[in-house]
Amino acid sequence: MSAQEKSMSVSDEMMIEMNGVHKWYGQFHVLKNINLTVKRGERIVICGPSGSGKSTLIRCINRLEEHQQGEIIVEGTELTGNLKHIEQIRREVGMVFQHFNLFPHLTVMENCTLAPIWVRHMPKQEAEEVAMNYLRQVQIPEQAEKFPGQLSGGQQQRAAIARSLCMRPKVMLFDEPTSALDPEMIKEVLDIMIELARDGMTMICVTHEMGFAKTVANRVIFMDDGEIIEQNEPEEFFANPKNERTQLFLSQILQH
Amino acid sequence: MTTATAIFPNPLRWALGLWRDQKHRGTIIQIMALVALLLFIGIIIRNTAINLQALGLEIGYDFLTEPANYDINQHLIDYNSLSSHLRATAVGVINTALVSVCGIILATVIGLFAGILRLSKNWLVNRIMYAYVEFGRNVPVLLQILLFHALIIHTLPHPRASLSPMDGVFLSNRGFYVPQPVLEPAAWAILAALVIAAALAWWFAGHAKRVQENTGRHYPVFTINAALIIGLPLLAFFLAGRPIGLDFPQLKGFNYQGGMVLRPEFTALWFALSFYAGAYIAELVRAGILAINRGQTEAAYSLGLKPNWTMRLVILPQAMRVMVPPLISQYLGLIKDSSLAIVIGYMDIVATIGGISLNQTGRALECMSITLFIYLSISLGVSTVMNWYNRRVSLVER
Amino acid sequence: MKTVQQQYEVGRHPDLPPPLVERGVVKWVRDNFFSDATSIVLTAVALYFLYKVVPPFVEWAFVDAVWNADHRNECRARGEGACWAVLRARIAQFTYGYYPAHLYWRVNTAFVLLFVALAPLLFEHVPGRRYLLWFSLAYPVLAFFLLWGGLGLEPVESAKFGGFLLTIVIGVTGIVGSLPLGILLALGRRSRLLIVHTISMVFIEFVRGVPLITLLFIASTLLNYFLPPGTYFDLLLRVLIMVTLFASAYLAEVIRGGLAGIPKGQFEAADSLGLGYWKSMRLIILPQALHISIPNIVNTFISLYKDTTLVVIVGLADPLGISRATLADSKWQGLSTEIYIAIAVFFFVSCFAMSRYSLYLEKKLHTGH
Ligand SMILES: Nc1ncnc2c1ncn2[C@@H]1O[C@H](COP(=O)(O)OP(=O)(O)OP(=O)(O)O)[C@@H](O)[C@H]1O
Ligand SMILES: [Mg+2]
């Protein structure tokens, strides 16, 4: 994607806003004063060393983790203990996990239609049509009636992406979607994600796939020790990292 | 020399050759095992025949139709001491079935509660349940039966001074007396209402499912059906002029008359078996829920499913797969443990045909074979059900 | 939740302590007792339950209890509490049954040596383990002569055995005796030879399908019919045989589980070395299978140990048998609650300790691989 192509889909509408967010696990300070805004259509890649709090950060966005200080606003709704708001936000925010987390007792099709039927109250037939569309988009329509255990890792992750898309989310969160995959399967998943980006999906993606970051990201964020250390456009970020910790991290990662 | 052995093979070498050959060796072992088994059975039959002859006994099941000559205090079918041994056996089977079914229900309830509370974040509740589970599993069930029996017999008062926590309920060391429902002729209306309600509920569940598949609308099926099944019979009860009365137990002399009694033996056995199995079931429930990866809950949440739907659609169906097979083994264990009834004088299978009938007739072989046959049939039945279930729900893997 | 934020340079934000409500005792109490409405209700119910149960029990079992008395009426005269005096009076019988008092040392020696024999089996790092293993092998013979006499020791007949001595004798004999048979049955059930497979399966399913009490009844009423005329086994021996057969069926299933847990590669490796069936089993497969089954073997032992209480039903003098005799004595009538509680405590302590041990083994097994 060219730079122009990338910025085209970005609008001024604010999707996610995090102001001075802090989080603790017991005594352990995981997230420190996180300030982050994401606009509609923006694609953000988060990277950083292991244990720096990347997963925790994106899990706070759909409240799989609770933050203790600061505010998180998703689509104009603030995340508090209010269960109604939490459900409302979770409906609009899709999430893809490192280990897929498909429901093993349901077929791929049932995995995809479960939430539309029970949350969106969609008729079954319509839900299946929608699901089939997305399964076609992720190129596994022929796997619809199989169980997750019968699929390869790459196919499972694509099914998981389709499952999220079936809820027609406004934002997609990815937590290292390719790091549990064999090398030859990584590309098939990344291709799907690049396609999604082309369609203008707002995405936040934790990944160490720097090629992917260069291709689709509007912004790359580097986290370390619970803090956002640096954020910049990918060209700048990779060419002239400002912070020395970023430099160190990049030199380690790009060595491979 | 060599040609000679080739033409007339040495039989020993030939046998050794067979033994060295894997396929033949298998056959030889099989034949030897079979011969050994037949020999063993043959010797036992011969010994038994000689021993029985020496005692002047003959094997035969005719005695089953003769009068049993002993009393059974709890019998759900007609029985008196003139009834046959066969009828006594039937009473025993029914008593075993009664305490087993009651025990399985109560144990499941206890186990579910304790298992879920054991996962509670509430420290106090968690510890209490831990103590229960450990006590329940580490004290022999026979001892628990005796303990419950001793508690009922020794800590509850005499009938004259019995505790009465509610009107018409009396707890004493002779048993728990509760009111007995008395059905008047019009009571059939209630039964009819119940049947109609069940049919309606069944239809409504199907209808709701179709509506949901076609339009996506959800009905509160559970609430409506529960209201139907409780409400309709209740309505019938009042419309038919309250055709169910209660016969209250009353103190006459040294004991109660009327009402229904749960005898101390039954109560002690029932509680002890449930308490014991409940502790194991609690651990199964806990393990079943813990076995479901946290990622499943998170995936469901991130799709927008509410916690109760997540439980129903994602967690429970998976936990059931893990839980049901060991649960069924627990039930089978409970049925087998109910045979300990004999220590407190509850008249189950073992106490009737395997106990008093055996002692009175001296027909050990016949009585024991009947007892074993009954238990084996139960076990076989249960494991057939379990295999069927396992095959039905096993996850498809690559 | 806006608070005034102190500004730090990027990358220099220190670790701060969590806000007050997230800290220390306040948090612990809130999380554990009052995290939500359900939790508050549970706490209240639990406290009420403890209030109703614990003080009366403590009062009965300790405060008002009588520890020293010659008979039940003396206890009752002194108060309403538990009459533990009965245990003091009968402690020897509960421990040794009717074993002659001047020979208690033999039981004690056998008991202590049991642990010496067990140590090399249960723990890997015991000094001199290789020599101790020989001792473990010889122990059953040694214990037999110590307990029953012979070889110059004064003989003691089985009928004198009782109390916890009997519990331990039956439990240990059952599990030790059932090991070889259990292994054979497990191999048999896995065998491709149809007849061997069927015999093993029928035996295992038969034993597991009926209650132990029926097998004990067979021992007490039927076994003598099956033996050649003129032979006579005493009751304890018959019970020991039955308990061993019973345990072997359960053990076979445990070991079968262990065999199933061994990767196929191991079987293939053994085959490719050209070892025969028995050698590859003995040298490669079984050691591994037994190793991973140890926790479950311990669990089987715990069940068996609890099940030894059933022998009271066929008239042996295990602790429950002794309590029957005690309760029949007019001096101690009606004290069943006290006696049963005491026996329950004994079983609880020993079974709990063993189950902890099996848990520990299981953990070690999981982390070890
Ligand atoms: N539930 C939890 N309780 C306590 N500590 C936790 C919990 N989850 C994560 N942590 C800790 O918080 C820190 C940040 O975790 P997080 O998973 O967000 O890191 P990450 O940047 O995603 O690392 P990785 O690249 O390894 O996935 C880690 O040090 C981790 O040990
Ligand atoms: Mg992570």
Side-chain angles (χ1 to χ4, degrees):
Chain A
M1 287 167 106
S2 65
Q4 198 187 0
E5 202 183 341
K6 275 189 201 171
S7 57
M8 228 163 53
S9 59
V10 180
S11 75
D12 279 342
E13 191 187 339
M14 206 66 96
M15 284 298 289
I16 298 169
E17 221 181 317
M18 300 177 89
N19 294 325
V21 171
H22 288 258
K23 170 162 183 62
W24 286 265
Y25 283 126
Q27 292 294 310
F28 177 53
H29 201 167
V30 232
L31 293 183
K32 301 166 181 170
N33 193 24
I34 300 290
N35 294 293
L36 175 68
T37 54
V38 181
K39 297 203 178 94
R40 175 186 289 283
E42 232 181 342
R43 291 169 295 277
I44 296 191
V45 164
I46 303 179
C47 61
S50 181
S52 54
K54 308 177 296 287
S55 300
T56 311
L57 171 64
I58 66 167
R59 289 157 60 87
C60 278
I61 295 174
N62 65 354
R63 193 94 169 173
L64 289 181
E65 301 289 352
E66 194 179 327
H67 61 284
Q68 279 102 27
Q69 239 177 59
E71 55 177 18
I72 302 180
I73 298 169
V74 182
E75 272 225 297
T77 313
E78 185 177 353
L79 270 172
T80 55
N82 186 329
L83 292 175
K84 270 245 145 50
H85 290 174
I86 295 176
E87 274 156 29
Q88 185 189 332
I89 287 170
R90 281 178 180 165
R91 280 200 292 268
E92 308 302 333
V93 178
M95 183 151 191
V96 174
F97 301 85
Q98 182 177 3
H99 296 288
F100 331 135
N101 295 351
L102 288 168
F103 306 129
H105 61 301
L106 302 177
T107 61
V108 169
M109 177 55 86
E110 288 164 339
N111 263 279
C112 290
T113 55
L114 186 78
I117 288 178
W118 292 98
V119 180
R120 291 246 189 265
H121 293 195
M122 211 183 260
K124 189 170 169 204
Q125 206 179 351
E126 188 187 335
E128 282 178 353
E129 279 160 18
V130 171
M132 209 55 204
N133 260 338
Y134 285 114
L135 286 176
R136 244 178 251 126
Q137 187 179 339
V138 301
Q139 295 166 7
I140 46 169
E142 71 285 355
Q143 312 289 354
E145 296 312 320
K146 288 198 187 159
F147 285 91
Q150 296 169 294
L151 269 51
S152 76
Q155 289 169 331
Q156 288 193 44
Q157 192 60 297
R158 285 185 280 159
I161 294 175
R163 175 177 73 177
S164 280
L165 292 176
C166 284
M167 284 295 286
R168 303 219 167 96
K170 303 208 168 101
V171 188
M172 286 286 283
L173 309 174
F174 293 84
D175 190 359
E176 309 204 27
T178 56
S179 60
L181 296 178
D182 293 338
E184 71 271 17
M185 297 174 181
I186 290 180
K187 188 172 175 303
E188 59 188 49
V189 171
L190 287 181
D191 284 347
I192 302 295
M193 291 169 62
I194 292 172
E195 184 131 339
L196 261 182
R198 285 233 166 80
D199 293 347
M201 174 64 80
T202 315
M203 294 162 65
I204 302 183
C205 186
V206 175
T207 182
H208 291 161
E209 295 294 332
M210 291 306 150
F212 172 79
K214 281 179 192 155
T215 321
V216 304
N218 302 93
R219 228 185 319 157
V220 180
I221 291 178
F222 174 69
M223 278 188 77
D224 191 11
D225 199 17
E227 272 187 272
I228 294 181
I229 304 285
E230 186 165 348
Q231 47 179 318
N232 216 331
E233 288 173 3
E235 293 76 19
E236 269 300 293
F237 183 86
F238 290 113
N240 308 310
K242 304 269 172 339
N243 193 294
E244 55 193 75
R245 283 203 244 171
T246 321
Q247 291 160 9
L248 184 68
F249 176 75
L250 285 178
S251 71
Q252 279 166 351
I253 267 223
L254 297 176
Q255 260 168 19
H256 296 297
Chain B
M1 247 322 258
T2 43
T3 45
T5 43
I7 297 167
F8 307 105
N10 179 344
L12 199 73
R13 175 118 15 121
W14 175 76
L16 211 63
L18 278 187
W19 179 246
R20 292 251 169 81
D21 182 329
Q22 208 178 2
K23 215 170 95 198
H24 293 305
R25 183 191 290 198
T27 321
I28 294 172
I29 293 180
Q30 300 243 58
I31 293 173
M32 279 174 14
L34 194 62
V35 169
L37 179 74
L38 292 178
L39 216 64
F40 179 72
I41 295 176
I43 289 176
I44 284 191
I45 291 179
R46 186 174 162 275
N47 286 343
T48 313
I50 295 175
N51 284 325
L52 285 178
Q53 207 170 23
L55 291 170
L57 289 174
E58 249 178 78
I59 297 182
Y61 290 85
D62 297 341
F63 74 96
L64 283 175
T65 52
E66 289 162 18
N69 289 325
Y70 60 90
D71 277 323
I72 300 179
N73 59 9
Q74 176 183 313
H75 48 89
L76 297 189
I77 54 174
D78 276 341
Y79 177 87
N80 59 45
S81 60
L82 294 178
S83 308
S84 65
H85 286 289
L86 195 61
R87 198 155 184 94
T89 312
V91 172
V93 171
I94 290 173
N95 282 347
T96 292
L98 179 72
V99 81
S100 300
V101 169
C102 293
I104 284 172
I105 293 170
L106 186 59
T108 310
V109 172
I110 294 178
L112 271 179
F113 261 99
I116 290 170
L117 289 181
R118 184 89 170 72
L119 288 168
S120 148
K121 276 187 214 142
N122 188 310
W123 185 84
L124 200 58
V125 170
N126 191 319
R127 290 292 97 178
I128 291 177
M129 287 306 147
Y130 177 67
Y132 157 60
V133 167
E134 290 301 337
F135 177 86
R137 296 196 306 168
N138 287 312
V139 172
V141 60
L142 180 62
L143 203 49
Q144 296 191 27
I145 294 172
L146 288 170
L147 254 174
F148 272 99
H149 194 237
L151 280 178
I152 292 175
I153 298 285
H154 292 300
T155 57
L156 286 180
H158 291 291
R160 287 175 161 279
S162 58
L163 301 176
S164 182
M166 270 188 288
D167 251 8
V169 175
F170 299 97
L171 310 181
S172 76
N173 61 9
R174 294 278 185 82
F176 297 174
Y177 287 81
V178 293
Q180 179 169 28
V182 180
L183 303 183
E184 285 162 31
W188 63 266
I190 300 174
L191 189 70
L194 191 69
V195 171
I196 293 173
L200 274 178
W202 189 72
W203 171 83
F204 181 68
H207 174 70
K209 191 159 178 242
R210 276 191 302 278
V211 167
Q212 189 210 330
E213 284 180 2
N214 293 332
T215 69
R217 270 188 65 191
H218 290 243
Y219 292 122
V221 178
F222 182 79
T223 323
I224 291 181
N225 278 352
L228 256 177
I229 287 177
I230 297 171
L232 219 53
L234 212 63
L235 195 70
F237 173 74
F238 286 110
L239 286 183
R242 307 188 192 192
I244 297 183
L246 286 175
D247 176 21
F248 284 85
Q250 270 159 1
L251 192 63
K252 293 252 172 72
F254 292 108
N255 219 331
Y256 285 90
Q257 301 253 300
M260 223 167 34
V261 61
L262 303 176
R263 292 177 190 286
E265 309 88 60
F266 172 79
T267 319
L269 188 64
W270 179 31
F271 286 178
L273 290 175
S274 313
F275 192 80
Y276 180 73
Y280 280 92
I281 293 175
E283 277 303 279
L284 291 182
V285 170
R286 189 172 87 102
I289 292 178
L290 285 182
I292 309 309
N293 194 321
R294 241 181 77 99
Q296 294 288 310
T297 315
E298 291 179 352
Y301 282 178
S302 70
L303 286 169
L305 283 168
K306 292 178 192 172
N308 52 353
W309 287 111
T310 301
M311 198 65 186
R312 219 191 96 178
L313 296 170
V314 176
I315 307 300
L316 275 186
Q318 294 186 56
M320 287 298 272
R321 281 160 211 261
V322 185
M323 262 152 42
V324 167
L327 194 63
I328 293 178
S329 319
Q330 277 307 320
Y331 291 162
L332 190 56
L334 188 145
I335 296 172
K336 287 194 282 171
D337 285 339
S338 74
S339 63
L340 300 178
I342 194 169
V343 288
I344 51 172
Y346 178 76
M347 301 298 278
D348 74 330
I349 300 171
V350 172
T352 52
I353 182 75
I356 303 182
S357 287
L358 187 152
N359 286 333
Q360 289 197 347
T361 61
R363 295 192 170 269
L365 214 58
E366 294 88 340
C367 290
M368 283 320 294
S369 62
I370 293 174
T371 312
L372 292 177
F373 175 79
I374 296 172
Y375 278 109
L376 281 177
S377 317
I378 297 173
S379 300
L380 211 64
V382 171
S383 56
T384 309
V385 170
M386 186 151 80
N387 288 341
W388 169 81
Y389 179 86
N390 281 345
R391 224 170 310 125
R392 219 181 63 115
V393 304
S394 65
L395 281 186
V396 188
E397 297 284 349
R398 233 161 118 80
Chain C
M1 240 200 313
K2 280 245 156 116
T3 43
V4 183
Q5 291 278 336
Q6 195 185 333
Q7 293 301 312
Y8 300 97
E9 213 179 310
V10 170
R12 302 255 183 277
H13 201 299
D15 287 342
L16 299 176
L20 191 61
V21 288
E22 295 292 327
R23 248 186 290 170
V25 184
V26 183
K27 179 178 160 61
W28 189 82
V29 169
R30 199 194 59 176
D31 281 2
N32 285 302
F33 298 104
F34 307 108
S35 54
D36 53 26
T38 333
S39 189
I40 295 173
V41 173
L42 284 178
T43 304
V45 172
L47 284 176
Y48 180 75
F49 169 78
L50 288 179
Y51 166 75
K52 276 305 224 192
V53 169
V54 174
F57 181 79
V58 168
E59 206 171 306
W60 176 81
F62 301 106
V63 181
D64 292 344
V66 179
W67 295 87
N68 251 324
D70 288 332
H71 48 80
R72 166 203 147 90
N73 291 344
E74 198 180 327
C75 278
R76 286 291 166 263
R78 282 204 246 146
E80 282 295 299
C83 181
W84 299 120
V86 58
L87 299 175
R88 276 180 91 111
R90 298 292 179 120
I91 187 77
Q93 280 186 13
F94 276 110
T95 319
Y96 303 101
Y98 306 107
Y99 209 86
H102 65 285
L103 299 179
Y104 284 169
W105 66 269
R106 274 164 43 183
V107 176
N108 297 344
T109 316
F111 186 67
V112 172
L113 289 181
L114 173 65
F115 286 93
V116 179
L118 278 178
L121 299 176
L122 299 183
F123 301 100
E124 275 169 31
H125 306 289
V126 180
R129 181 159 182 248
R130 286 175 60 194
Y131 306 103
L132 275 178
L133 277 173
W134 286 108
F135 176 74
S136 311
L137 219 57
Y139 177 78
V141 181
L142 187 67
F144 176 81
F145 285 114
L146 271 174
L147 293 175
W148 274 272
L151 291 182
L153 292 170
E154 185 183 328
V156 178
E157 46 180 312
S158 298
K160 297 256 194 282
F161 283 51
F164 294 118
L165 163 64
L166 193 65
T167 302
I168 293 170
V169 166
I170 298 175
V172 172
T173 314
I175 209 80
V176 171
S178 62
L179 251 178
L181 192 55
I183 291 174
L184 282 182
L185 283 169
L187 292 178
R189 194 166 183 177
R190 279 176 66 93
S191 166
R192 273 185 239 111
L193 307 175
L194 185 70
I195 296 174
V196 175
H197 170 84
T198 314
I199 294 174
S200 313
M201 191 185 73
V202 169
F203 177 83
I204 293 173
E205 291 306 325
F206 171 80
V207 172
R208 284 160 49 90
V210 300
L212 175 58
I213 183 67
T214 57
L215 295 179
L216 291 178
F217 274 170
I218 291 179
S220 70
T221 62
L222 279 187
L223 214 51
N224 278 338
Y225 286 145
F226 298 153
L227 298 172
T231 39
Y232 172 80
F233 287 180
D234 69 44
L235 183 59
L236 178 57
L237 192 54
R238 279 181 276 155
V239 164
L240 284 177
I241 293 173
M242 271 305 171
V243 166
T244 304
L245 292 179
F246 176 76
S248 67
Y250 285 83
L251 216 55
E253 287 299 277
V254 165
I255 294 169
R256 192 164 73 109
L259 286 168
I262 292 178
K264 228 171 153 191
Q266 294 288 320
F267 288 91
E268 285 161 5
D271 279 348
S272 71
L273 287 175
L275 296 170
Y277 177 82
W278 288 108
K279 263 202 183 137
S280 69
M281 279 299 158
R282 188 162 58 87
L283 298 175
I284 298 178
I285 308 299
L286 274 177
Q288 297 184 55
L290 287 179
H291 186 69
I292 54 178
S293 323
I294 287 180
N296 282 330
I297 294 179
V298 174
N299 287 339
T300 311
F301 178 72
I302 298 175
S303 318
L304 185 68
Y305 179 78
K306 288 192 294 175
D307 283 343
T308 58
T309 47
L310 267 62
V311 300
V312 65
I313 300 175
V314 293
L316 290 183
D318 82 319
L320 287 176
I322 299 287
S323 57
R324 267 195 181 174
T326 309
L327 292 170
D329 180 347
S330 60
K331 281 205 308 190
W332 302 113
Q333 253 171 12
L335 295 178
S336 44
T337 312
E338 281 89 340
I339 294 177
Y340 294 150
I341 286 181
I343 301 175
V345 167
F346 173 83
F347 272 100
F348 177 81
V349 170
S350 43
C351 292
F352 184 74
M354 287 190 278
S355 66
R356 287 295 99 167
Y357 174 72
S358 124
L359 265 184
Y360 153 83
L361 284 179
E362 218 165 307
K363 263 204 199 111
K364 208 173 73 173
L365 217 56
H366 279 299
T367 50
H369 281 274

